[in-house]
Amino acid sequence: SQTIHQWPATLVQPVGSPLSLECTVEGTSNPNLYWYRQAAGRGLQLLFYSVGIGQISSEVPQNLSASRPQDRQFILSSKKLLLSDSGFYLCACTTVGFEQETQYFGPGTRLLVL
Amino acid sequence: QKEVEQNSGPLSVPEGAIASLNCTYSDRGSQSFFWYRQYSGKSPELIMFIYSNGDKEDGRFTAQLNKASQYVSLLIRDSQPSDSATYLCATGGGFGAGTTVTVRA
């Protein structure tokens, strides 16, 4: 079964600073990968998804970007953070096969922008 | 993103009671349906999936699907304090906002 790693676990950043969050997946090949953000007490907001290396689809226009330099690596970035970027960032993947729509989540990165 | 609606909650039930969670979806083409549990401060974890109309049971959890009514539910029998969490309904990649359940000891 797949394992999703995310780091860092927590991050406190000043407004206007850059951001790089990394997600790596083990135990599966050619996964679909997703970045979600969850504001405090709110639901999941899909930010980006990727079906392969270099293929990124954006769901929400914002100051964030994503990249997929390797099959099992997904990176979320920003050049200048906003206060509204604070939240819980979750990486997810879907497995190959019959249950391919099942999403599994990493442990998340909690970001606080001050 | 497909639209998924959940009963807003929060839902408070006494220990040992049945907690009933409801979810409706708008995309008639949806084929797979999922329930996730999310403890405070943690990431969501899959607890049930269902593809066919009817009931699917797994321990104290029962998922019910009615594609004609575009309705999926989750029943938690013999609720325990450890069931206190937010439950997310999902289909085809779209998630509901979640229902927070608190089980009173």
Side-chain angles (χ1 to χ4, degrees):
Chain A
S1 64
Q2 73 290 321
T3 302
I4 303 173
H5 301 281
Q6 287 187 246
W7 63 90
T10 59
L11 192 59
V12 180
Q13 292 284 95
V15 170
S17 63
L19 173 73
S20 180
L21 302 181
E22 189 162 344
C23 168
T24 58
V25 181
E26 294 179 354
T28 187
S29 298
N30 303 316
N32 289 349
L33 297 175
Y34 306 80
W35 277 113
Y36 289 90
R37 177 171 62 200
Q38 189 175 39
R42 306 292 295 274
L44 295 172
Q45 179 186 27
L46 178 62
L47 302 176
F48 301 95
Y49 68 92
S50 171
V51 299
I53 295 173
Q55 300 178 64
I56 308 294
S57 295
S58 174
E59 290 292 311
V60 181
Q62 58 209 336
N63 68 318
L64 300 173
S65 62
S67 63
R68 186 169 176 176
Q70 300 180 44
D71 179 48
R72 288 172 286 181
Q73 183 184 30
F74 204 22
I75 298 172
L76 181 70
S77 303
S78 175
K79 292 182 179 178
K80 287 186 178 182
L81 285 168
L82 306 173
L83 287 174
S84 58
D85 291 324
S86 294
F88 191 35
Y89 287 81
L90 292 158
C91 179
C93 78
T94 50
T95 57
V96 176
F98 177 67
E99 297 173 17
Q100 60 186 354
E101 286 191 308
T102 305
Q103 292 198 21
Y104 295 92
F105 290 85
T109 294
R110 195 162 301 280
L111 172 66
L112 178 60
V113 182
L114 300 175
Chain B
Q1 193 161 348
K2 302 177 181 67
E3 188 170 327
V4 179
E5 300 281 347
Q6 294 186 240
N7 49 333
S8 57
L11 182 64
S12 179
V13 298
E15 186 174 356
I18 295 175
S20 178
L21 306 172
N22 303 317
C23 175
T24 58
Y25 59 93
S26 59
D27 184 357
R28 284 194 170 274
S30 295
Q31 296 294 317
S32 49
F33 306 87
F34 309 90
W35 284 100
Y36 290 81
R37 176 176 61 200
Q38 186 176 22
Y39 291 115
S40 180
K42 302 295 185 182
S43 61
E45 58 178 329
L46 180 71
I47 54 172
M48 291 281 290
F49 61 87
I50 186 167
Y51 301 120
S52 303
N53 277 328
D55 295 358
K56 179 181 179 182
E57 188 174 315
D58 184 358
R60 296 185 295 108
F61 298 97
T62 299
Q64 299 173 319
L65 175 61
N66 184 325
K67 290 186 178 181
S69 300
Q70 296 177 247
Y71 175 90
V72 59
S73 66
L74 180 71
L75 299 177
I76 308 173
R77 294 184 305 280
D78 188 23
S79 295
Q80 302 297 308
S82 60
D83 296 325
S84 297
T86 297
Y87 291 81
L88 304 172
C89 173
T91 175
F95 286 81
T99 300
T100 298
V101 174
T102 300
V103 180
R104 308 187 306 271

